[in-house]
Amino acid sequence: MAILSLQNISFSYDKTPVLKDISYDFEKGKLYCIVGKSGAGKTTLLSLLSGLTTPSSGTILYDDKDVAKIDKYTFRSKYIGVVFQSYNLITKYTALENVILAMDVAGYKTDNKKQKALELLKSVGLDEDETDRRILKLSGGQQQRVAIARALSYDPDIILADEPTGNLDRETQSEIMAIFRSLAKQGKCVILVSHSPDVAAMCDECYKLTKLTKKS
Amino acid sequence: MYIIKNALRCISRSKGRNILIGIISLVIAVSACIGLSIRQAAESAKQSILEGMSVTATITYDRQSAMSNIGGGKGNGGFDRNQLEAIMGGASSLTLEEYQLYATADSVSDFYYTMTAYFNGSDGFEPVNISEALDDNGGTLNGGLVGGYSDETARIKGGLANMMSAGDFKIIGYSSESAMVDFISGVSLITDGVVFAEQTDENVCIISEELAIFNNLSVGDSITITNPNIDTEAYELTVCGIYSSTETNNIPSSMFGAGEDPANRIYMSAAALQKIIDASVTAANEDTETESADAITATLSATYVFADTDAYYAFEEEARALGLGDTYTITSADITSFENGMTPLNTLSTMAGWFLIVILIIGAVILVVLNIFNVRERKYEVGVLTAMGMKKWKVAGQFMCEVLVVTMIAIVIGAGIGAVSSVPVTNALLENQVSSQQSESNRIENNFGRGGMMNGSIPSGENESGLGIKENNKFGNMVSGAANYITEVNSAMNLTVVLQMIGIGLLLTLIASVASVLFIMRYDPLKILANRD
Ligand SMILES: Nc1ncnc2c1ncn2[C@@H]1O[C@H](COP(=O)(O)OP(=O)(O)O)[C@@H](O)[C@H]1O
Ligand SMILES: [Mg+2]
């Protein structure tokens, strides 16, 4: 059964249509990939999935419930973990503080948040001495790992990642992909967005977005 | 609450900006603190004086208003002379019954009166310093020059006509001991014998030491006084006490008659004096050779005592309801003197009020602008937090919390600086204000040609009957100079000021935050984050 399902979704910015009549299903335990050229509407689709915006028409179902009827803040803070294309971390906070902040915002209950955050950061490959560093003093790859740790911190069912490998070298890229693959194995629904066929090849299922040409 | 934790973290991570906001808040806080302290000092000075002050008032006849009433009332125009004469004469003074009627008002806590009558001496009992015979002008002159000072005012204004027949001795009858203000204040004290019993109608009296020595009298001796108009009409009084007085003789008796020399005052009970006067009136009516105008008349001065100023202010309405006419005004030397003394501090307090308003407006504008800059600069942070699912009101709350913490720290430091500096600053400003007030009133007095007199020779009784500050230890050293201005405060900061400061801090935080809250509510995380990509 699909945890997240798009039903006849269309979306346009003002009068520019970007997505038209899209119906995708996403299940738990699978690694999905949405591919498409630059400007095809991948980030837009991700914004719809993460509840940052609402479709012009069609419905999104989360666990068979209409997302439009779920409080968008609750949806974003608890049910979905997003790794943004530009990470969107609080730059004046440390890596650890960013992860703990996400747990606080989600109202996530655990005995020791710091402990859990440190474990998470370690599991995504961040060194111990890097956890107390401010975001600005971390490299792109390290920031990417912090963003992933943050998305996982409150145990959401769905992980969304926008171009998670876009700015990374090959070696880091495959390390990050390994993390996503293991998350899917643990039962999460992982949805990646990428323009890279390499990434697509490593995923369980692929959806291809094509850029809408202007209607004549 | 993670919001507070985040707020504190954000403050510590942007020290520069927060120090700037802090310094601006500190300047506002110190200025506000001093402004508030000045206002508080004025208020507590007022309260302190009022606390220790019982207000006394007299009802005086407003001749001007009475005359304008006649002028206005007549259709044909011009004054009705008869009516005018009636006003100028005894008709203007209230009777004892009327005074007593107004004393029944709820606001009055005590009521007493004095009666003053003039008598001549007899062989073997003569006034001190009888250097010149008294002429009929004595009373008028006296009325013209002494009028305006001390509690004599009421008597003189009230019964100018009655003053025409002056004598060698001024006999003052007191209705109660509280009326004997000189003995209460210590200006006068009994050195031998005892004071007459309150409300006694026996002919006992107390005389001054000078008079006793001059006539070789001691306690238990009798003296004989006579009606100044009919020298055969004599009354015998027994001396029950001798008093000494530190009151200085401002008025040379050679000019105004022996009766005005304090040494020639004889004090007795009002009831006893009333009995003598009644006897005199009866005698004058029975005796066909004398006119009734030759009988001894007394002028009445009634004083109402109020527990506090509120009661005093309530009295006016109550007295009017009891039938006090428009041509009478209720005046209180205590209140006038108190209000005069408060003038510099009140002026300063008003200026401090305006200063406070200006400071708060400027402060609020600066803080609003800084906050707008702040929130615009942190737009991305707002976008991230809301994209993560943090509710906008929580983000706004965190931002408000940051401003609040910085403002409150500034207010605590500002209150500290204010506590140290407010008293010297208030006193320096007050000194400035008092001297400008004094030079202003001196200038006016000089314009009227009274400069020398006002500054030099206010009767000493004025200080005692005036503000009542001397009894009040706390403000004992606050009075200086002839005008009784309050020139010093010794505490300005108190809990009220601290609470007001906290209130101002909250208010400024709120005003400053409104702008940022509006911005946060308007922000759409998708747009913010999309622009970054
Ligand atoms: N905020 C926006 N307002 C208007 N048009 C937008 C906005 N964001 C994206 N677009 C347009 O929508 C289309 C899809 O953009 P996007 O989803 O970012 O593509 P992708 O992520 O696949 O590169 C593009 O043509 C882009 O110009
Ligand atoms: Mg994109």
Side-chain angles (χ1 to χ4, degrees), chain B residues 204-430:
Chain B
V204 289
C205 65
I206 57 173
I207 61 173
S208 72
E209 252 174 353
E210 289 113 306
L211 193 59
I213 293 163
F214 191 76
N215 287 295
N216 195 23
L217 293 166
S218 54
V219 172
D221 290 349
S222 288
I223 55 173
T224 307
I225 50 171
T226 59
N227 182 337
N229 301 319
I230 309 160
D231 49 13
T232 55
E233 188 185 322
Y235 301 94
E236 197 165 283
L237 304 178
T238 307
V239 176
C240 67
I242 294 171
Y243 70 90
S244 76
S245 172
T246 54
E247 183 177 351
T248 47
N249 184 3
N250 294 307
I251 308 148
S253 60
S254 58
M255 265 178 76
F256 300 111
E260 292 310 323
D261 190 325
N264 292 329
R265 281 184 203 158
I266 298 170
Y267 300 137
M268 60 192 294
S269 147
L273 183 56
Q274 184 65 52
K275 219 172 77 183
I276 291 174
I277 287 158
D278 290 345
S280 175
V281 170
T282 316
N285 287 340
E286 282 171 0
D287 193 333
T288 45
E289 278 172 37
T290 55
E291 296 174 40
S292 60
D294 288 334
I296 294 163
T297 53
T299 53
L300 204 56
S301 162
T303 305
Y304 298 92
V305 182
F306 304 97
D308 49 40
T309 45
D310 288 344
Y312 166 71
Y313 291 120
F315 179 58
E316 168 109 36
E317 205 175 311
E318 289 180 355
R320 299 284 179 219
L322 287 168
L324 182 67
D326 290 341
T327 51
Y328 294 90
T329 51
I330 296 163
T331 54
S332 168
D334 302 338
I335 296 285
T336 312
S337 170
F338 158 71
E339 278 169 359
N340 286 341
M342 283 297 293
T343 309
L345 196 51
N346 274 339
T347 313
L348 198 62
S349 172
T350 311
M351 292 192 322
W354 286 111
F355 171 73
L356 199 62
I357 291 170
V358 170
I359 279 292
L360 290 186
I361 291 173
I362 293 174
V365 168
I366 293 175
L367 286 182
V368 165
V369 169
L370 278 177
N371 255 285
I372 291 174
F373 278 129
N374 181 23
V375 74
R376 286 175 69 104
E377 205 178 293
R378 294 170 68 180
K379 195 174 180 177
Y380 172 71
E381 188 181 335
V382 175
V384 171
L385 289 172
T386 45
M388 282 170 67
M390 186 165 166
K391 289 189 171 68
K392 282 184 176 182
W393 68 261
K394 283 188 176 171
V395 179
Q398 184 196 316
F399 278 45
M400 254 171 107
C401 196
E402 290 174 30
V403 181
L404 186 68
V405 168
V406 174
T407 317
M408 283 301 154
I409 289 172
I411 282 199
V412 168
I413 298 172
I417 296 173
V420 175
S421 62
S422 65
V423 172
V425 168
T426 307
N427 284 337
L429 292 171
L430 192 56

Side-chain angles (χ1 to χ4, degrees), chain A residues 76-77 86 88 92 97 101, chain B residues 6 13 380-381 386 533:
Chain A
R76 291 210 290 259
S77 65
S86 53
N88 292 346
K92 62 187 163 192
E97 285 163 355
L101 174 66
Chain B
N6 285 358
R13 303 275 160 94
Y380 172 71
E381 188 181 335
T386 45
D533 281 353

